[in-house]
């Protein structure tokens, strides 16, 4: 079995590997998801007992699902069957504060697991379930309904210990309770829409009104009998969903949370682990924000911190949060006196050194009986590596961050009590290893049942140009020095994502491309994270020029270091933002790029979502020329200049795309056709934006045929 087939069957070697790792607050148990083997897509819920180091299976999807109850209506049975077929087992789970109860869904059904006695029971719900969460005491659980026969989407409900199911909040179509709106989940990393109070007495819930938004109606030709999927989508320059917060008592009481929602419409984060709730709100321009503390009795808010940046505010995941001493932890940037850093602050006092690029706050580390230190993921000097640091928070303790991960690589972690679980990926090993530590002693490792990749990729990581752009070159395994190779620029390049990482998994597919006869080049241009805020935000309102210039400059610099790179035969491929960039490259610089694979591209940023497009390009009404300058449709409609080669493109798109509507790609095809530019269109029935962008054996081979035709 060759790489494309093996990778497709194993979900890029992810089936059978532990994921979604968490630690109970007392440090006694580690929870994680893992399927039964390298070709099993159905993740089960597992528990590791830290005291004994033993794993045990808590919830097996195959054993729990069984047959759909006969009493269901035909429509409900069909919905459950579709969910069951498309389900990859347990997708996620939630724990109570003591780590004794976990809840999760399977095919829209609700289950509760007793972690002490290893009992799992199905909990009766009124309809398909989304995002169930136990209250901190483990006595009750809340969930949100999905749409089904006679059930509205977006009802927030609570199930009591005796099984009584009560509606907490719900309205007619167009309004949901307890769910994150599109831009919150896609662009701000807020995937939740409700939060239990620490004592379980009430719920803080988001009300989302999408009635003003335009709707896309998506139909999947692979399922002609299925009704079209209707998606409310906030387009750049248009209206957003109206989001408000409310404190809901379990006995029916109600308190509205007050802030200036006209000025600060984006609710980007909520934390209610202890103390009063902390929320972060941003202006629509995202250049100014507030960290607010909410009084749960009155709903009034108090400003704890202001966030400001003339380009855009970039909060740090895991912030804001209360520290044990009552101070509020906030992420921000240090951009004066020569500093260019992404740091943590406690009530305005700097906690992390300016040399550290803080990526995420993982949680609290115990020192004796008190959790006074923070565990953070950060980079220091080398953006291709991510390490773990222990950050001191003691008042008067100064700035003190000590690296905990010893080996080079890409590290992550979960923490609870005095138990630390460290995930390590590197160029020296396949997959991610998970080591469980208690105090200063390793007590166990989480077993991986994933398939081993058939080879070890050999990327050469280097930083080039005066901007020190992180870059890499991958040669064929048996390349003979002095043999010139066509070049494949494999791009993403979009904000918030890094491709050049010290993680073997990032290079497996690229090694296959190299072994197919190419020198593969990957570049993290300005706009990508990990280097410094100024590097990240240099793209503001000029994304196309900065990103494409960096890619070309890095490619030229690498060719100077690697003479076997033949710049007379350069192709480019990418997906999503990378698809847009690939199209941009071949349209703007046909003298360099001979062909492009353009996967699910954003053809017109005026049709992309409000938060993303306006963050990087500004509001359309403030500069329509900026949007036109970034439009593939505008470029594609221009006939090639006389004597200029018209380079071929392969356009690829999922037909039920949940992010960039497939019709956009068809408009690009029409523009190319009208201008006489050669191209092919490859539709993928049944594929969404992310699923189509994932590895498909057939898709890879079609891309390979296209690139070989035009480069070799």
């Amino acid at each position: 079995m060759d790489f494309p087939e093996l990778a497709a069957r194993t979900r890029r070697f992810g089936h059978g590997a532990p994921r979604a790792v968490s630690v109970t607050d007392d440090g006694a148990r580690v929870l994680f998801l893992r399927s039964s083997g390298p070709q099993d897509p159905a993740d089960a819920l597992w528990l590791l007992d830290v005291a004994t180091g033993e794993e045990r299976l808590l919830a097996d999807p195959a054993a729990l699902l069984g047959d759909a109850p006969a009493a269901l209506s035909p429509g409900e049975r069909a919905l459950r069957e579709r969910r069951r077929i498309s389900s990859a087992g347990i997708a996620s789970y939630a724990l109570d504060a003591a780590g004794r109860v976990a809840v999760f869904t399977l095919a829209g059904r609700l289950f509760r697991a007793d972690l002490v006695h290893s009992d799992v029971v199905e909990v009766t719900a009124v309809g398909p379930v989304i995002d169930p969460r136990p209250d901190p005491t483990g006595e009750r659980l809340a969930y949100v309904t999905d749409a089904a026969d006679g059930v509205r989407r977006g009802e927030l409900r609570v199930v009591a210990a005796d099984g009584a199911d009560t509606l907490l909040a719900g309205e007619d179509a167009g309004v949901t309770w307890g769910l994150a709106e599109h831009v919150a989940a896609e662009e701000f990393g807020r995937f939740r829409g409700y939060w239990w109070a620490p004592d379980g007495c009430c719920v803080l819930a988001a009300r989302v009104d999408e009635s003003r938004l335009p709707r896309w109606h998506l139909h999947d030709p692979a399922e002609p009998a299925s009704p079209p999927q209707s998606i409310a989508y906030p387009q750049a320059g248009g209206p957003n969903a109206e989001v408000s917060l409310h404190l809901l008592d379990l006995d029916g009481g109600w308190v509205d949370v007050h802030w200036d929602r006209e000025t600060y419409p984006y609710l980007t984060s909520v934390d209610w682990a202890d103390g009063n709730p902390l929320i972060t709100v941003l202006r629509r321009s995202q250049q100014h924000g507030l960290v607010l503390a909410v009084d749960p009795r009155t709903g009034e808010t108090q400003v704890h911190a202001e966030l400001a940046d003339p380009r855009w505010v970039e909060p740090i995941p895991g912030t804001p949060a209360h520290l044990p001493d009552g101070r509020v932890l906030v992420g921000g940037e240090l951009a004066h006196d020569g500093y260019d850093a992404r740091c943590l602050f406690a009530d305005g006092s700097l906690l992390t050194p300016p040399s550290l690029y803080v990526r995420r706050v993982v949680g609290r580390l115990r020192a004796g009986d008190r959790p006074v230190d923070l565990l953070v993921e950060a980079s220091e000097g080398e953006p291709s590596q991510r390490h773990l640091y222990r950050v001191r928070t003691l008042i008067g303790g100064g700035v003190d961050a000590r690296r905990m991960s010893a080996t080079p690589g890409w590290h992550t972690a979960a923490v609870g009590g005095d138990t630390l679980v460290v995930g390590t990926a590197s160029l020296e090993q396949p997959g991610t290893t998970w080591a469980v530590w208690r105090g200063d002693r390793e007590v166990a490792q989480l077993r991986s049942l994933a398939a081993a990749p058939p080879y070890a990729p050999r990327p050469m990581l280097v930083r080039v140009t005066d901007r020190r752009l992180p870059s890499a070159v991958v040669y064929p395994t048996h390349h003979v020095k002095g043999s010139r190779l066509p070049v494949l620029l494999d791009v993403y390049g979009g904000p918030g994502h890094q491709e050049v990482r010290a993680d073997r998994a990032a290079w497996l597919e690229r090694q296959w491309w190299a072994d197919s006869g190419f020198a593969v080049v990957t570049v993290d241009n300005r706009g990508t994270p990990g280097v410094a805020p100024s590097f990240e935000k240099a793209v503001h309102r000029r994304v196309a020029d900065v990103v494409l210039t960096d890619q070309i400059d890095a490619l030229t610099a690498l060719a100077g270091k690697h003479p076997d790179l033949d710049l007379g035969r350069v192709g480019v491929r990418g997906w999503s933002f990378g698809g847009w960039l690939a199209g941009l490259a071949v349209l703007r610089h046909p003298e360099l790029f001979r062909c492009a694979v353009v996967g699910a591209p954003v053809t017109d940023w005026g049709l992309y979502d409000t938060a993303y497009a306006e963050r990087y390009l500004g509001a359309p009404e403030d500069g329509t020329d900026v949007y036109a300058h970034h439009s593939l449709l505008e470029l594609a409609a221009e006939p090639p200049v006389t004597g200029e080669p018209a380079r071929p493109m392969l356009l690829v798109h999922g037909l039920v795309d949940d992010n960039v509507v497939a019709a956009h790609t068809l408009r690009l095809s029409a523009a190319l056709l009208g201008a006489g530019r050669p191209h092919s269109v490859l539709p993928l029935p049944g594929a969404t934006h992310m699923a189509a962008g994932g590895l498909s054996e057939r898709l890879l081979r079609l891309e390979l045929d296209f690139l070989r035709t035009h480069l070799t």
Side-chain angles (χ1 to χ4, degrees), residues 541 544-545 580 584 587-588 602-607 617-638:
R541 294 178 65 85
D545 298 336
W580 168 79
L584 187 74
L587 289 169
R588 281 197 182 182
V602 182
T603 60
D604 180 353
W605 288 101
L607 297 177
L617 301 182
E621 61 267 24
D622 294 339
T624 54
D625 56 327
V626 175
Y627 280 75
H629 185 66
H630 287 75
S631 172
L632 290 186
L633 298 179
E634 300 268 349
L635 281 171
E638 298 175 5

Side-chain angles (χ1 to χ4, degrees), residues 464-551:
V464 296
T465 80
D466 58 344
R467 280 143 278 161
R468 303 195 69 234
L469 302 171
S471 309
V473 178
V474 184
Y475 283 109
T477 301
H478 301 296
H479 174 65
V480 177
K481 191 173 182 179
S483 303
R484 301 270 281 169
L485 292 167
V487 178
L488 175 59
L489 183 63
D490 193 22
V491 299
Y492 183 79
H497 294 271
Q498 278 182 255
E499 297 296 308
V500 182
R501 306 193 311 271
D503 175 0
R504 183 177 288 188
W507 307 101
L508 288 170
E509 184 186 319
R510 291 178 174 125
Q511 186 67 60
W512 176 81
W513 282 108
D515 289 344
S516 299
F518 303 93
V520 180
V521 170
T522 301
V523 179
D524 280 339
N525 45 255
R526 283 174 293 171
T528 58
V531 177
S534 64
F535 185 94
E536 205 166 344
K537 297 182 178 180
V539 297
H540 189 235
R541 294 178 65 85
R542 55 194 190 113
V543 176
D545 298 336
V546 170
V547 169
L548 190 52
T549 295
D550 282 358
Q551 291 285 335

Side-chain angles (χ1 to χ4, degrees), residues 349-366:
S349 297
L350 183 65
L351 293 180
T352 52
S355 60
L356 217 57
Y357 181 98
V358 178
R359 296 175 179 270
R360 180 174 78 103
V361 177
V362 178
R364 299 173 185 171
L365 286 166
R366 289 196 180 276

Side-chain angles (χ1 to χ4, degrees), residues 571-582:
V572 57
R573 69 181 293 269
W575 195 270
S576 190
F577 187 99
W580 168 79
L581 181 53

Side-chain angles (χ1 to χ4, degrees), residues 409-435:
W410 195 259
H411 301 266
T412 189
V415 65
D418 59 353
T419 298
L420 172 65
V421 184
V422 177
T424 300
S426 76
L427 295 174
E428 307 304 319
Q429 64 181 35
T432 299
T433 60
W434 292 92

